[in-house]
Amino acid sequence: MTASRFVVQPGPDDLPPTADVIVIGGGPAGTAAIWALHRLAPYLRLVLIEASDRLGAGSSLASLECYRTCWPAVCMAKQMERSVEVFHQADEYLGEGAGQALALREQGYLFCAMNEAHAATLRADVARLHELGLNHIEYLDADEVVYRFPWLGKSVIAAKYDPVAGWLDSNALIYRFAQSAGNARILLGVPDVSVCAGGGKVLGVQTPAGFIAAPAVVIAAGARSGAIARTAGVDLPIVVRPRQSFTTGWRHETFPGHAPMIIGAPPFPHVRPEAGSGAIFGWEYAWRAKGSLEPYRNDGGDALVEPVFPVEPLKDPRFPSITLALLARQFGHRAGEGFADGRYLRSLHHNIGYYVSRDGSAAYRILDDGQRQPYESERAIIDAHPALEGLFVSVAHVGHGIMTAPAAGEILASRVLGLPLPDPSFEDFSFNTAWVEYDAAVL
Ligand SMILES: Cc1cc2nc3c(=O)[nH]c(=O)nc-3n(C[C@H](O)[C@H](O)[C@H](O)COP(=O)(O)OP(=O)(O)OC[C@H]3O[C@@H](n4cnc5c(N)ncnc54)[C@H](O)[C@@H]3O)c2cc1C
């Protein structure tokens, strides 16, 4: 493995005058892009530009770092299958020692049902997943749940179990992608870039330290991607949703360290063990949507058209206690028991970041009367921009941009190099695929 060249706050002398491909954004999407480009075409002169002084400075900082294979839409299931293959063979794909650095904890995902209606939904989910060949996903009845997870309690009457699921060190993944990208130049601490275009083509990227000419530019800057695209005179069909998580330094003794990720019943609060003695909690809770997103520009629903930075003021201080109360109610814990134990609230770290998604112009169904009905899609956009030659994007990775990063990088690399996609279903990540069967917001 050749070491990549990292430069923090580059001056004019640190910038190459030209590159073959410039990637903007050093999160999972951008670093996976240079990794995959280098694997397919080692001769390419690659530059990655990151606004922060470190890689992975976007949504991944708030994430639960989880992965799972149970996706009901074909393109998502294939994307995860390939990504898990890379995680499982990390030393081969990301250099010696990567397996140890990624620290995969394949402890599974357990989706819990507390009533018959939800149990029926989980049973149907499993049937669909088996149709896709994901036969390792199991439907567990009440006895089986008690047998395998006796510490869960009696309120769970059925479950969907994905054993090829767990969590990893996302920071290590991001740095491994970057380090495995040959001699790509990694420019850190470059907050203010614009994409220059002329004659309907990309010309390069302007940075405060100078201009880098390139025939191909990839925007992979998470929630800031729309603003960067506008510097080139084009729009991206994306919206953002603030999402929260919190980490505790303490975990109740009835929630063991070998537990899987536990997903409750609707509205799906979730939690997994973290580090030695802690836990990390999430819930796709849209509190601002319950009233209004004023004074921010919103889409009329629970999404923002323009992200707000810094995002911290959008945190709901009640989020940790509400999430714990919801889990305690669902799992039948009374005051002082399990998730209703106040010690969870003593040493917590509350995080927030954005989910970036397709907007209603890029994800919609056509109704019988010909009207377009927008829907909340899980599909990223990994494609060439239709309005500007040489511009590519890897955006809208919603709540799964870490787990799907390896395959997302490979799809992007195929697009940039004009090669066939690694799987035909990956066409569904294009700008112009508006609807895909079984593509809907799912945890
Ligand atoms: C609460 C929460 C929980 C989540 N849990 C999970 C999970 O369990 N598993 C999972 O797979 N995903 C999870 N996600 C989603 C995941 O974090 C995102 O999908 C993923 O981080 C998206 O990757 P990205 O590279 O597109 O964007 P980001 O991670 O946002 O990275 C974008 C990068 O671009 C940089 N950048 C921004 N502007 C510029 C600029 N102008 N110039 C240069 N660089 C720029 C940023 O600094 C950042 O480093 C979660 C997200 C949240 C918020």
Side-chain angles (χ1 to χ4, degrees), residues 99-123:
Q100 199 178 6
L102 260 50
L104 242 59
R105 297 287 297 271
E106 201 151 280
Q107 296 179 202
Y109 257 55
L110 190 71
F111 298 78
C112 302
M114 280 77 173
N115 61 46
E116 288 299 339
H118 190 212
T121 305
L122 294 186
R123 208 178 301 115

Side-chain angles (χ1 to χ4, degrees), residues 412-423:
L412 188 278
S414 306
R415 289 294 193 195
V416 171
L417 296 167
L419 298 172
L421 292 172
D423 186 277

Side-chain angles (χ1 to χ4, degrees), residues 274-412:
E274 170 69 336
S277 62
I280 180 162
F281 295 78
W283 176 22
E284 294 179 3
Y285 163 60
W287 69 290
R288 296 236 168 201
K290 296 189 193 315
S292 142
L293 284 166
E294 296 291 341
Y296 311 112
R297 230 183 114 206
N298 65 64
D299 73 341
D302 68 339
L304 290 168
V305 175
E306 289 301 328
V308 178
F309 290 107
V311 61
E312 279 66 26
L314 299 185
K315 279 182 194 169
D316 180 353
R318 302 164 304 171
F319 177 76
S321 52
I322 301 176
T323 308
L324 281 159
L326 186 55
L327 281 163
R329 195 172 71 208
Q330 291 193 352
F331 287 90
H333 299 158
R334 285 171 308 199
E337 294 174 0
F339 297 121
D341 191 315
R343 282 176 286 182
Y344 272 117
L345 291 168
R346 278 193 202 152
S347 60
L348 65 83
H349 190 72
H350 186 173
N351 309 301
I352 188 165
Y354 285 113
Y355 277 17
V356 184
S357 307
R358 288 173 179 252
D359 72 12
S361 74
Y364 59 85
R365 279 167 237 269
I366 308 265
L367 301 177
D368 290 345
D369 63 2
Q371 298 267 352
R372 287 180 174 191
Q373 182 187 54
Y375 76 98
E376 223 177 286
S377 168
E378 290 285 328
R379 284 174 297 122
I381 307 175
I382 312 170
D383 200 3
H385 196 286
L388 187 59
E389 192 182 323
L391 185 67
F392 298 84
V393 302
S394 179
V395 296
H397 297 283
V398 198
H400 48 73
I402 295 164
M403 63 178 97
T404 51
E410 291 178 336
I411 297 166
L412 188 278

Side-chain angles (χ1 to χ4, degrees), residues 28-29 50-51 57 59-60 64-66 224 397-403:
E50 163 58 44
S59 291
S60 57
L64 271 72
E65 307 186 295
C66 290
R224 293 195 197 253
H397 297 283
V398 198
H400 48 73
I402 295 164
M403 63 178 97

